[in-house]
Every structure is written in structure tokens, then in C-alpha cells.
Amino acid sequence: MPDTPLLIAGLGNPGADYARNRHNAGFMAVDVIHESYKFGPWKARFQGAISEGTINGRKVYLLKPGTYMNESGNSVGPAARFFKIPASAVVVMHDEIDLAAGKLKAKTGGGDAGHNGLRSITATLGPDYRRVRIGVGKHADKGRAIGHVLGNFSKADEQWLVPMLSAIAEATPLLVKDDDVGFMNKVVLLTNPPKPKPEKKDKE
């Protein structure tokens, strides 16, 4: 188990008006992790809210930037530097319109694909942090991408969103082990359990 603490930052926009937005999928994921493990209370620090806990013996910090999405790096960067956490031990959870709704991918590094939160974090940490991309799908009209992510999840979305958030929390110990592939595979398995095979009838 790595000795370095892990910083898991969920991205979103602060305030009740944005709470159910697709853009706030990262906030939602971190909230469920917070509820699922014995983390301390949220405290106002680093222009956001931070909570401290331990998962499988490793110190973990949860962070929700309060800076609005396009300045997320102003919260994540100072927190990582204060706790002396390298980019390789920073996990950013965020919405992803280039993934179908209900799909998830974990990766390290890469571009920001037009995501303003990632662009801000890359500017302060460099690109080599870990990302958990939570698919929210895209609007059929490409010109309405901003309206799509700033729109609320629908009742129909909750049928996949609630199991997805629960699966992310259940699989988080694999993130803590730096096993991003194992984490991703477990989330897929939990959200798409194999169908039982039909029983073979005995020949008479």
C-alpha cells in the first residue's frame, strides 16, 4: 500500500442551483464515497470543502472545490501542494460528455477534451493526474453542450446514476491501491452484472 496520501477531488459548481446538474457528477461521486466510509466532517479549506479519512490503511482526502468549475485548479493545486501529494496520487472525478450516459473510464494523463475543470487543474498540476470519467452523454445538437451539462439529471437518468455512484464508492478501495483498471472493471461488473444462464432441462 502506498505511503503517500490520496487526494480524490470531485468536480462541480457550488450552490443549490447546480446541485443536480450533470456537470456536478464529480461532487455526487465524492459525496457517496464520504457517506460510505468513516470520513470526518467537511471543512472549509483550499477554496472548497475537504474531508479526511482512511480506506484500507491509506490516508485519503476528499475535496470539493468551491471555486466554480473553470477555476477548479485554484482549489486542487493548493491542496495537493499543502499535503505534498504528487499528481500520481491525485484522482479527479468529473462528468464526461464523450462517454455514453452510465459508462465510466479511469485513466492517467491526457488532454482536457474541452472540460474547463480539467484545463484548470492541468494548468496548476500538469497533466499527469488520474481521472475518473463519468459518462453523462451528449446532446444531439453539439451547439447545446453547455446547456446539456448545466441541465439537471432527469428521473430516467437516476436509474443508471444511483447504481453508478454506489458502484464507484464500493470500488474506491481499488483506487486506493492505485489499481485504476481493477476499479474500472469492478464498476462495470457492479453496474452490468452478468445475466444468469438459463438452466438446462434434463432430457426425459
Side-chain angles (χ1 to χ4, degrees):
M1 181 63 60
D3 293 330
T4 306
L6 187 70
L7 174 63
I8 302 177
L11 302 191
N13 285 310
D17 290 346
Y18 300 98
R20 298 298 301 166
N21 283 185
R22 294 180 180 90
H23 224 15
N24 277 36
F27 271 11
M28 296 175 190
V30 166
D31 278 337
V32 176
I33 294 170
H34 184 269
E35 293 168 7
S36 300
Y37 301 91
K38 292 182 179 179
F39 275 79
W42 292 104
K43 296 180 180 179
R45 290 188 74 184
F46 309 111
Q47 297 187 61
I50 195 162
S51 177
E52 180 180 328
T54 303
I55 299 177
N56 285 3
R58 185 177 186 182
K59 175 84 73 179
V60 178
Y61 296 99
L62 302 177
L63 177 67
K64 295 191 294 183
T67 53
Y68 289 100
M69 183 67 80
N70 62 355
E71 294 184 343
S72 298
N74 293 342
S75 175
V76 177
R81 286 190 287 273
F82 181 84
F83 294 117
K84 297 180 172 59
I85 297 174
S88 60
V90 175
V91 177
V92 176
M93 296 188 169
H94 64 92
D95 62 302
E96 177 59 78
I97 62 172
D98 289 332
L99 280 179
K103 300 296 182 183
L104 177 143
K105 285 192 176 179
K107 60 176 287 190
T108 296
D112 55 51
H115 194 290
N116 290 331
L118 297 184
R119 182 181 295 124
S120 176
I121 292 168
T122 297
T124 187
L125 285 185
D128 298 328
Y129 53 92
R130 297 154 62 190
R131 302 111 187 270
V132 172
R133 305 162 64 203
I134 303 168
V136 298
K138 63 176 65 176
H139 198 279
D141 180 355
K142 291 183 179 180
R144 297 182 64 182
I146 294 176
H148 179 66
V149 296
L150 292 179
N152 287 346
F153 283 111
S154 67
K155 286 287 185 184
D157 287 330
E158 290 186 7
Q159 294 180 7
W160 63 261
L161 178 63
V162 173
M164 167 71 74
L165 296 175
S166 176
I168 288 172
E170 188 171 338
T172 292
L174 290 164
L175 281 182
V176 172
K177 289 182 178 179
D178 294 341
D179 183 2
D180 291 359
V181 173
F183 164 80
M184 185 166 53
N185 290 340
K186 183 162 186 176
V187 170
V188 170
L189 185 63
L190 290 169
T191 53
N192 297 281
K195 294 179 180 177
K197 295 179 180 178
E199 293 182 9
K200 292 182 180 179
K201 292 183 178 179
D202 294 332
K203 293 182 180 179
E204 293 183 1

